[in-house]
Amino acid sequence: MSLPLVLGTMYFGTKTDEATAFALLDRYVEAGGRVLDTANCYAFWASDTGAGGQSEQVIGRWLAQNEGLREHLVLSTKVGQEPREPGVFEAPWEGLSAETVAREADRSLERLGVETINLYWAHGEDRSVDLAETVDAFGALTASGKVARIGFSNHPTWRVERARALATARGFTPATALQLTTSYVRPRPDTTVPGKDHRFGWVTDETLDYVTEHPEIEVWAYSPLIQGSYVRDDRPFPEPYDHPGTTRRLSALADVAGEIGASQAQVVLAWLVASAPSIRPILGVSSVDQLDDGLAAMDLHLSPEHLARLDTA
């Protein structure tokens, strides 16, 4: 079984040069990692062209140099968030029309140099398109073999459930994955966290209840370490995290980390995996040392007593 840790590749080919990206991919696979997460829009905001696709291209070139490895990997990519006007963050997104989903899946397959995307995500909801049209577009991809599984990222739970019901009624395999953000500490309710502009991009108690009732659905968590806030003094937690619950949780986290000889960030990753329901963290790193730190978290053992203290803080 592969590691539960997913390697995030957002900045491969832009902020992370190709040589470093290849080194990260090599080390991740060497350690037993098998799941790579990217998107067709990564990373347009860091690109000279204002368009995405660099991350997929780097992965494709790495796969081409590692013949025979493809069959052992899970390739995860997304559609829906590339701006229609290159480089303009405020421009309308490409969205989830049938034409866009089909076109961009083919482009992602070409950049990755593969015949099948293991997990294809609707990156953000698009209410300008009838949900049935989007479901049919994804269903056509699975029926053709271009896509193996479907997931929803940054969607409200009720829309996910409606899409799954539509897919089942049409004879398609329904979505079996959600990608949202969460961590051990959480922001105050009804606040806006800088850089997290997806209204329905958060794991909530409803999310956890939903996937508990539907154990066939995985939850993947992006930004689980809140951009390094647990371990870097130069990256304090955003202001919405400043509340008594954070204070109590950080105290419990520090105690557990000290007792097991791990960093607080490592305990957060281990806690996500050990929680019920389990959550797969997506780790985005820029160096092999950072990756090794995250990989080491997968070897941590949190006792029932540790988990209870962390959960109830």
Side-chain angles (χ1 to χ4, degrees):
M1 182 177 179
S2 67
L3 293 175
L5 188 71
V6 177
L7 182 62
T9 66
M10 178 183 289
Y11 287 116
F12 285 11
T14 50
K15 291 183 178 181
T16 302
D17 63 64
E18 187 159 307
T20 302
F22 279 23
L24 290 168
L25 290 162
D26 289 344
R27 175 64 187 125
Y28 176 69
V29 170
E30 177 189 19
R34 294 293 181 266
V35 188
L36 309 179
D37 184 69
T38 186
N40 69 329
C41 67
Y42 290 165
F44 72 82
W45 59 94
S47 166
D48 293 338
T49 67
Q54 297 80 17
S55 174
E56 290 180 333
Q57 289 169 340
V58 167
I59 294 171
R61 288 193 287 270
W62 174 75
L63 286 171
Q65 292 186 17
N66 290 271
E67 188 176 351
L69 188 56
R70 166 66 185 103
E71 63 186 282
H72 303 291
L73 299 176
V74 173
L75 298 182
S76 154
T77 193
K78 315 178 192 73
V79 60
Q81 296 273 288
E82 177 84 349
R84 295 178 186 174
E85 185 177 346
V88 181
F89 211 95
E90 295 77 17
W93 305 119
E94 63 191 344
L96 296 172
S97 70
E99 179 184 3
T100 297
V101 170
R103 181 191 68 235
E104 293 304 315
D106 284 341
R107 290 178 177 176
S108 289
L109 287 166
E110 182 178 1
R111 286 190 289 259
L112 291 165
V114 300
E115 296 181 353
T116 302
I117 296 166
N118 299 98
L119 180 48
Y120 200 40
W121 305 84
H123 201 170
E125 63 173 334
D126 179 5
R127 297 194 188 185
S128 72
V129 174
D130 188 85
L131 187 59
E133 178 181 336
T134 300
V135 168
D136 285 347
F138 278 92
L141 289 173
T142 58
S144 71
K146 292 181 179 180
V147 168
R149 291 174 60 200
I150 299 300
F152 283 91
S153 178
N154 302 320
H155 278 67
T157 307
W158 71 268
R159 293 267 292 180
V160 173
E161 176 61 15
R162 181 171 292 180
R164 281 170 46 84
L166 285 168
T168 299
R170 284 161 157 73
F172 301 129
T173 301
T176 55
L178 303 178
Q179 188 171 146
L180 304 159
T181 188
T182 193
S183 187
Y184 178 59
V185 297
R186 304 182 180 95
R188 298 188 307 275
D190 301 319
T191 56
T192 299
V193 179
K196 297 291 185 291
D197 54 354
H198 296 294
R199 180 183 177 191
F200 299 108
W202 299 87
V203 172
T204 65
D205 189 50
E206 182 185 31
T207 310
L208 299 177
D209 180 61
Y210 181 66
V211 298
T212 298
E213 291 296 315
H214 297 278
E216 71 276 14
I217 301 178
E218 289 186 317
V219 180
W220 294 18
Y222 63 84
S223 301
L225 300 181
I226 316 179
Q227 287 72 51
S229 295
Y230 290 100
V231 294
R232 292 182 55 167
D233 293 336
D234 62 327
R235 292 190 178 179
F237 289 98
E239 191 278 334
Y241 289 88
D242 184 12
H243 58 86
T246 295
T247 302
R248 290 193 293 270
R249 286 210 146 195
L250 288 179
S251 177
L253 183 64
D255 288 345
V256 171
E259 289 172 15
I260 65 175
S263 71
Q264 293 186 33
Q266 288 173 325
V267 174
V268 170
L269 296 175
W271 173 80
L272 286 169
V273 172
S275 294
S278 179
I279 296 176
R280 300 192 74 161
I282 303 171
L283 186 65
V285 295
S286 57
S287 72
V288 172
D289 286 344
Q290 290 176 346
L291 176 58
D292 282 341
D293 195 66
L295 290 168
M298 298 300 96
D299 293 327
L300 293 181
H301 172 69
L302 297 176
S303 69
E305 191 267 339
H306 287 142
L307 289 171
R309 283 161 57 192
L310 292 168
D311 289 342
T312 59

